[in-house]
């Protein structure tokens, strides 16, 4: 049951991270580069429409995962047979008489109404809209923050200490959303460069790579600082790392993170310098490193999904320090 | 009009944020039994009128249960378990008149962050 719960929660978290990451990538990387390099919004329109479609799809996934989590937790906490646990009466009791249920319903309501509003606005906007993206990122940030309020961080201490821990965890989650969530739209742009030397994204590819690299570097820095703080608070000592399952899961998460860092470092220091696309001939030579970069970004994305699953399992396990 | 259209979604988002903030309770770990009255394994010289269990975390009344059985397996509580109105860590159940003998307490609680814990213990009545 705990594995099924973890899967649904991981899907929910991944959907929210991707929503925020898509919006952040558009606002911080794609839009500034395209307007600077090309001088127009031609390529941006197609990318915006693609991002908006995926963003709304992620909202649907988040809604479905939230419903799944609600049902799974109802089965778990009611202790009733499946057919009785998922009856209207039981679901109503959970939704109205438990803290978890009330929060779940509020998040679902937010997703449905905010998602509906964003979908409606997306259809009525004919050109790339930074306002729409900012609203989408705000909705996903609010929902991500609600996830942090249900985490181990929110259980630690009282008063100011509790809110300090929540703030640390919130920064950790948002930083991961910017980095992990931004990998998918970045992969999309790199994939389009593989199809043609004359494609719309070939010319700005290097600048986009460098800009995303900078954004990711800041995110990684924040992740390391907040990650170390969380480990110090919820593990407490090196010996506690040997405490199953929390300690082992944390070691696994750190190993996955280190692997991602290694891949990102190769992207930044070995591949990006080869992306000289200033002339027609050089564009041809840049094709190989672009393909390599694309493969690495896909690898990072897969590792990122694994990190999200491990992080969800950590959230379901009692901290090692307890 | 353009400014109002831009502000209204932000107001909505801010309102939702506040609602989420206000509706969220502290996320706790599993609720463990901290104290029981009658105490675990105790021999009471007077028949208790209720069983009071204190847990390490706040518990949800819905789906939490407390049952007391005599040596023959018959229920001797009044099936009125309830969480203390002043302290959500405490669960009560009233008892029928108990005679001399051994009694078995079974409990199942759901903490506010949905973790389920169960347990049981014995106490005796020997006036």
């Amino acid at each position: 049951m705990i594995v099924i719960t973890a899967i649904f929660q991981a899907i929910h978290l991944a959907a929210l991270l991707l929503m925020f990451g898509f919006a952040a990538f558009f606002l911080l990387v794609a839009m500034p580069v395209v307007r600077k390099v090309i001088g127009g919004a031609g390529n941006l329109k197609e990318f915006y429409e693609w991002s908006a479609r995926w963003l709304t799809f992620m909202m649907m996934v988040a809604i479905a995962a939230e419903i799944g989590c609600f049902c799974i937790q109802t089965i778990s906490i009611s202790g009733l047979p499946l057919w009785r646990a998922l009856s209207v009466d039981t679901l109503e009791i959970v939704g109205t008489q438990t803290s978890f249920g009330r929060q779940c319903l509020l998040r679902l309501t937010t997703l449905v109404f905010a998602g509906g509003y964003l979908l409606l606005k997306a259809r009525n906007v004919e050109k790339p809209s930074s306002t729409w993206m900012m609203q989408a990122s705000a909705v996903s940030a609010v929902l991500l923050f609600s996830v942090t309020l249900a985490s181990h961080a929110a259980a630690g201490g009282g008063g100011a200490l509790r809110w300090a821990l929540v703030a640390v965890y919130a920064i950790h989650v948002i930083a991961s959303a910017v980095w992990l969530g931004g990998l998918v739209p970045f992969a999309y742009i790199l994939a389009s460069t593989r199809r043609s030397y004359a494609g719309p994204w070939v010319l700005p590819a290097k600048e986009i790579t460098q800009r995303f690299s900078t954004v990711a570097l800041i995110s990684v820095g924040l992740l390391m600082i907040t990650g170390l703080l969380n480990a110090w608070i919820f593990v407490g000592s090196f010996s506690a790392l040997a405490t199953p399952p929390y300690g082992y899961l944390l070691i696994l998460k750190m190993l996955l993170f280190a692997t991602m860092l290694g891949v990102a470092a190769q992207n930044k220091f070995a591949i990006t310098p080869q992306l000289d696309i200033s002339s027609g001939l050089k564009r041809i030579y840049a094709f190989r490193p672009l393909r390599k970069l694309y493969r690495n970004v896909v690898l990072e994305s897969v590792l990122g999904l694994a990190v999200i699953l491990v992080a969800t399992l950590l959230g379901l396990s009692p901290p090692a320090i307890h | 009009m353009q400014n109002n259209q831009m502000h209204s979604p932000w107001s909505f988002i801010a309102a939702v944020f506040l609602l989420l903030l206000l509706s969220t309770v502290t996320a706790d770990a599993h609720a463990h039994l901290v104290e029981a009255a009658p105490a675990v394994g105790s021999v009471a010289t007077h028949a208790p009128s209720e069983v009071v269990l204190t847990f390490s975390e706040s518990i949800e009344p819905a789906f939490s249960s407390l049952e007391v059985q005599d040596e023959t397996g018959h229920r001797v509580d009044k099936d009125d378990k309830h969480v203390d109105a002043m302290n959500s860590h405490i669960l009560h159940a009233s008892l029928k008149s108990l005679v001399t003998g051994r009694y078995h307490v079974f409990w199942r609680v759901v903490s506010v962050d949905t973790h389920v814990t169960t347990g049981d213990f014995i106490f005796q009545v020997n006036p």
Side-chain angles (χ1 to χ4, degrees):
Chain A
M1 182 64 77
I2 198 167
V3 172
I4 300 173
T5 305
I7 289 170
F8 272 97
Q9 288 190 357
I11 292 171
H12 182 251
L13 181 61
L16 294 180
L17 290 175
L18 280 168
M19 277 172 64
F20 190 85
F22 267 68
F25 185 90
F26 181 87
L27 292 167
L28 300 175
V29 179
M31 195 170 73
V33 169
V34 169
R35 285 186 171 160
K36 176 187 162 189
V37 173
I38 301 222
N43 303 320
L44 204 60
K45 185 170 187 295
E46 181 194 320
F47 180 68
Y48 167 79
E49 285 169 358
W50 177 86
S51 296
R53 274 200 305 273
W54 270 98
L55 227 148
T56 46
F57 175 67
M58 285 299 127
M59 260 185 269
M60 306 300 161
V61 171
I63 289 171
E66 186 80 56
I67 293 171
C69 285
F70 183 77
C71 293
I72 295 290
Q73 292 287 25
T74 298
I75 296 169
S76 170
I77 67 177
S78 67
L80 297 169
L82 186 67
W83 61 275
R84 276 187 64 194
L86 296 181
S87 67
V88 173
D89 291 336
T90 310
L91 292 170
E92 189 188 342
I93 292 172
V94 173
T96 57
Q97 296 181 28
T98 68
S99 309
F100 151 77
R102 285 191 293 267
Q103 279 193 313
C104 209
L105 288 183
L106 190 57
R107 274 199 300 270
L108 260 175
T109 308
T110 305
L111 270 167
V112 168
F113 279 101
Y117 169 81
L118 287 170
L119 192 61
L120 216 61
K121 285 288 283 185
R123 287 185 175 182
N124 292 335
V125 173
E126 291 189 359
K127 59 178 185 175
S129 167
S130 57
T131 303
W132 190 91
M133 281 293 178
M134 279 194 280
Q135 288 168 355
S137 66
V139 168
S140 52
V142 163
L143 290 163
L144 281 170
F145 188 71
S146 79
V147 170
T148 69
L149 291 175
S151 68
H152 289 306
L161 175 63
R162 178 191 173 211
W163 289 111
L165 292 173
V166 167
V168 166
Y169 192 67
I171 292 170
H172 191 81
V173 169
I174 295 293
S176 65
V178 171
W179 181 27
L180 301 182
L183 287 171
V184 176
F186 186 38
Y188 167 83
I189 285 174
L190 291 174
S192 67
T193 64
R194 295 159 68 225
R195 288 191 282 271
S196 166
Y197 301 114
W201 289 107
V202 174
L203 192 60
K206 182 172 185 179
E207 184 131 0
I208 282 178
T209 303
Q210 286 173 330
R211 198 172 175 100
F212 181 65
S213 179
T214 304
V215 168
L217 194 64
I218 297 169
S219 299
V220 164
L222 289 170
L223 279 169
M224 288 178 73
I225 294 168
T226 53
L228 284 169
L229 277 170
N230 283 331
W232 175 56
I233 290 162
F234 293 111
V235 179
S237 65
F238 284 110
S239 57
L241 279 174
T243 311
Y246 195 92
Y248 293 168
L249 286 170
L250 189 57
I251 290 171
L252 177 60
K253 189 182 174 191
M254 290 193 289
L255 285 172
L256 286 168
F257 178 71
T259 308
M260 289 180 72
L261 273 185
V263 174
Q266 188 192 29
N267 292 344
K268 183 171 175 61
F269 299 112
I271 301 175
T272 303
Q274 298 175 45
L275 296 179
D276 184 359
I277 314 167
S278 54
S279 70
L281 188 63
K282 287 183 178 177
R283 284 192 194 190
I284 296 169
Y285 288 131
F287 214 63
R288 231 173 130 188
L290 275 172
R291 283 197 343 212
K292 202 169 180 183
L293 188 60
Y294 169 73
R295 280 198 299 268
N296 277 0
V297 168
V298 169
L299 175 62
E300 273 187 273
S301 303
V302 171
L303 290 170
L305 284 172
V307 166
I308 291 170
L309 184 58
V310 172
T312 308
L313 287 167
L314 276 169
L316 292 169
S317 311
I321 202 164
H322 292 169
Chain B
M1 182 60 73
Q2 184 65 27
N3 280 339
N4 286 341
Q5 286 178 342
M6 280 178 65
H7 286 160
S8 60
W10 293 113
S11 306
F12 169 73
I13 290 166
V16 166
F17 181 74
L18 279 172
L19 269 173
L20 279 169
L21 210 59
L22 292 169
S23 71
T24 304
V25 296
T26 306
D28 302 309
H30 292 69
H32 299 290
L33 185 64
V34 170
E35 192 180 331
V40 176
S42 65
V43 179
T45 53
H46 300 280
S49 60
E50 65 171 355
V51 170
V52 182
L53 303 183
T54 305
F55 294 92
S56 55
E57 313 294 342
S58 295
I59 57 178
E60 297 279 8
F63 308 115
S64 292
S65 65
L66 175 53
E67 195 173 306
V68 184
Q69 296 176 1
D70 64 15
E71 291 169 282
T72 63
H74 290 111
R75 280 188 78 164
V76 294
D77 62 279
K78 294 181 180 176
D79 197 14
D80 64 348
K81 61 92 184 163
H82 56 280
V83 173
D84 193 285
M86 303 299 290
N87 185 342
S88 59
H89 292 223
I90 298 174
L91 189 63
H92 298 259
S94 306
L95 297 172
K96 298 172 185 172
S97 299
L98 300 186
V99 298
T100 304
R102 289 172 84 243
Y103 296 92
H104 206 151
V105 179
F106 300 91
W107 54 267
R108 177 187 190 272
V109 295
V110 181
S111 60
V112 290
D113 67 338
T114 74
H115 292 299
V116 177
T117 44
T118 60
D120 64 283
F121 66 91
I122 304 265
F123 72 91
Q124 293 184 61
V125 173
N126 191 4

